[in-house]
Amino acid sequence: MDDGNNPRISCVSLGMVILDEIRMPDHPPLLNVIGGSSTFVTLGLRLFATKSLTPGCLVLAGNDLPKPIREEMLRWHMDHLVILTSPNQPSSRGLLEYSDSTFGPKIFEYTTPPLRATPEKLEGTQLLAARAFHFFGTPDEIIAQIPVLLSLRQTDLPPPLIVWEPIPYCCTPANRVAFQDACKLVDVFSPNHLELAALFADDDEEQRHADTNLFANLERLGNRLIAAGVGPAGTGTVVIRAGADGALALQRDTPSVRVPAYYAPGSVHVVDPTGAGNAFLGGYVVGLLREGSVREALCYGAVAASFALQQIGLPRSEVVDAGGWERLGEFRGRV
C-alpha cells in the first residue's frame, strides 16, 4: 500500500528505450519516434504518480541521441530520470513497418545493436532503491539478472516487487522448462495471450481446446504455470494481457480476476496498439503498490494502456497529467 509519509520510487523498467522509424503505405516515414518497452512502462507509472510514489526511468542512450529527443525526455518532468550515454555506440534504433494504414500487421527490426539495460546500470543511482522493477527479457536473462539486482540493493530495503514481461521470440515450447524456472524468481509473470499460447504450442491436449472460449483457454494455460510455481514462495501472479479483450490475473488458490479493455474492440479511439501492453504493466504495478488489490491493479493497467493506444508514440505530457485519474474513476464505475 502507498505510504504518504515515506516517499519512494515506485518502479524502474529494465526494458529498452528505442528510437523508431515508422513506415506505412502512402505516408512519409516518421523518424525518431520514442518507443521501447521501458518508455511505455514509464508512461503507465507516470500516469498515476504522486509525491509519495514517483516513477524512475533509466535511459541508455548512444552517442547520436538527438538533442530534441533529450529535451523531450527532460520535459517528462520526472525527479528520477537517469540518462546514461555510451560514447562508443549508437542509440537503440528500430524500423517499424506497417503493411497497411490500419496499424494492424507490422514488422519490426533493429537497425542498430540494441542497448540492453541490466541491474549493474543502476549502481550509484537512486533507482536501485525502487519498490518494483520491470524486466523485459528471456528466461536465462531473468535467472541471471535477478540475483544480481538483489545483491546490489541495500540490505535494509524490503524485497522489491519483480515483474517479468517475456521477449516474444523466446516463447517457445523448447523454453517451457526454463520459463518455469524463471517464474519462481518473479512476483508477476505477464505474457500476452499469443506469447502464452506459443509456450504450449506443442501440447496436443491444448490444441484440442483451441476452439473453446479465449479466456477459458488462457486460464487453463496460466494455471499450468501457477501449478509449476510463480514467485519464491509460490504466491506470485500470472497476468495475461489479451489486447482488446482485456486482461486476466491468476493466483494459487484464488479465483481468477478479469477486466475488459478500456476501449471496446473496434473503437475509433484506437490508433496504434504499439506499447499498450507495456503501459498496461506500468499501470498495473503502480495500482498494486497503491491499492494492494489485483483487481484494482488491472483497472489501473487498462486505463494506462488506453493512453498508449490513442496516437502514434507517446501522448503529450499535458494530456497524461490531465486525464489519468479521471479516466480511472470512470473505468472503475464500468467495471
Side-chain angles (χ1 to χ4, degrees):
M1 299 289 285
D2 184 9
D3 181 359
N5 297 317
N6 184 26
R8 289 286 298 278
I9 298 174
S10 57
C11 179
V12 174
S13 173
L14 289 170
M16 285 187 288
V17 176
I18 304 173
L19 301 183
D20 286 328
E21 177 181 341
I22 300 178
R23 297 181 183 175
M24 64 191 77
D26 303 320
H27 289 271
L30 301 174
L31 304 178
N32 291 331
V33 178
I34 303 176
S37 58
S38 179
T39 304
F40 283 97
V41 169
T42 304
L43 165 65
L45 297 167
R46 176 72 175 79
L47 268 165
F48 303 107
T50 63
K51 290 183 178 179
S52 61
L53 206 58
T54 181
C57 182
L58 174 68
V59 176
L60 299 185
N63 52 19
D64 61 343
L65 184 69
K67 183 178 179 182
I69 297 299
R70 181 182 290 270
E71 292 173 348
E72 183 175 346
M73 291 175 176
L74 295 175
R75 286 196 295 271
W76 293 349
H77 301 302
M78 293 179 57
D79 293 332
H80 303 288
L81 171 64
V82 175
I83 301 177
L84 300 181
T85 302
S86 174
N88 301 316
Q89 292 177 272
S91 298
S92 300
R93 292 180 178 273
L95 173 62
L96 188 60
E97 195 159 10
Y98 291 93
S99 61
D100 56 38
S101 59
T102 66
F103 295 97
K106 60 188 176 184
I107 298 173
F108 175 82
E109 62 178 346
Y110 293 109
T111 55
T112 65
L115 300 173
R116 298 290 303 279
T118 62
E120 291 90 343
K121 298 294 185 182
L122 303 177
E123 284 193 271
T125 74
Q126 293 178 303
L127 303 182
L128 197 54
R131 292 180 61 180
F133 294 89
H134 163 264
F135 284 80
F136 180 64
T138 69
D140 289 344
E141 289 168 340
I142 294 300
I143 291 169
Q145 291 182 15
I146 288 179
V148 173
L149 172 69
L150 298 179
S151 70
L152 291 173
R153 283 167 58 89
Q154 298 175 19
T155 56
D156 60 338
L157 290 173
L161 177 76
I162 296 178
V163 178
W164 174 28
E165 177 184 1
I167 292 179
Y169 72 77
C170 68
C171 297
T172 66
N175 287 331
R176 194 157 64 228
V177 172
F179 267 87
Q180 292 171 346
D181 292 341
C183 277
K184 293 179 173 63
L185 300 177
V186 305
D187 301 290
V188 178
F189 174 56
S190 183
N192 66 29
H193 59 301
L194 299 176
E195 293 157 355
L196 180 64
L199 276 176
F200 295 92
D202 66 336
D203 193 301
D204 292 339
E205 179 63 24
E206 292 303 334
Q207 299 313 309
R208 283 194 286 271
H209 290 285
D211 59 347
T212 60
N213 177 270
L214 169 65
F215 278 93
N217 282 334
L218 296 180
E219 185 161 348
R220 185 175 57 255
L221 294 176
N223 277 325
R224 290 181 61 172
L225 295 174
I226 291 290
V230 178
T235 56
T237 308
V238 172
V239 175
I240 306 163
R241 295 164 286 122
D245 292 303
L248 175 72
L250 304 168
Q251 294 176 308
R252 179 179 293 176
D253 302 324
T254 303
S256 62
V257 182
R258 177 183 170 188
V259 300
Y262 184 86
Y263 289 124
S267 170
V268 297
H269 297 288
V270 176
V271 174
D272 183 3
T274 302
N278 310 128
F280 177 98
L281 286 177
Y284 180 91
V285 168
V286 74
L288 191 62
L289 294 177
R290 284 184 54 83
E291 310 288 352
S293 160
V294 168
R295 179 175 292 278
E296 283 291 303
L298 291 174
C299 290
Y300 277 69
V303 169
S306 74
F307 279 90
L309 291 165
Q310 293 181 187
Q311 67 289 300
I312 300 171
L314 296 172
R316 297 187 309 275
S317 61
E318 61 265 28
V319 174
V320 170
D321 289 339
W325 295 107
E326 180 180 348
R327 192 173 291 187
L328 176 63
E330 183 271 329
F331 186 67
R332 280 169 164 164
R334 279 196 272 147
V335 172

